[in-house]
Amino acid sequence: MQFDDEGRVQFTDEERAEIATEYEAIAKRLWEQVERVEARGNYDLGGRLRAQACDAEALVEAARIPDARRANALLSRIY
């Protein structure tokens, strides 16, 4: 991770690929947990886990945007 002249975060292609891979795995585990807890009737916890899974998926999508400048802008807001 680097910073541009205006202090904005700049991720390399490799870093963005790493972020996407890591958060894809996190999202997968979170969705599995959502299914388990909701199957037991715990919809409150399921809702919180669901929100975290959606956040993880948003990071994956932002990291995979081909336009590096746009991806960096989104990741710096979310990450």
Side-chain angles (χ1 to χ4, degrees):
M1 178 171 42
Q2 303 168 6
F3 295 91
D4 66 10
D5 294 336
E6 296 177 14
R8 292 181 297 228
V9 175
Q10 299 295 305
F11 295 92
T12 65
D13 291 343
E14 294 81 20
E15 288 170 326
R16 286 195 313 276
E18 239 178 83
I19 290 167
T21 300
E22 288 174 18
Y23 279 89
E24 192 170 47
I26 290 168
K28 181 179 185 248
R29 287 191 302 269
L30 285 166
W31 284 117
E32 290 168 357
Q33 290 178 0
V34 167
E35 289 178 21
R36 280 196 304 272
V37 299
E38 288 185 350
R40 288 182 268 171
N42 191 341
Y43 296 102
D44 182 49
L45 178 57
R48 286 183 276 156
L49 290 169
R50 183 179 299 274
Q52 290 178 357
C54 289
D55 288 347
E57 287 178 343
L59 277 165
V60 171
E61 287 179 34
R64 290 196 172 141
I65 293 173
D67 178 2
R69 185 176 178 166
R70 192 164 152 237
N72 283 330
L74 284 170
L75 285 172
S76 65
R77 279 189 231 140
I78 300 170
Y79 201 73

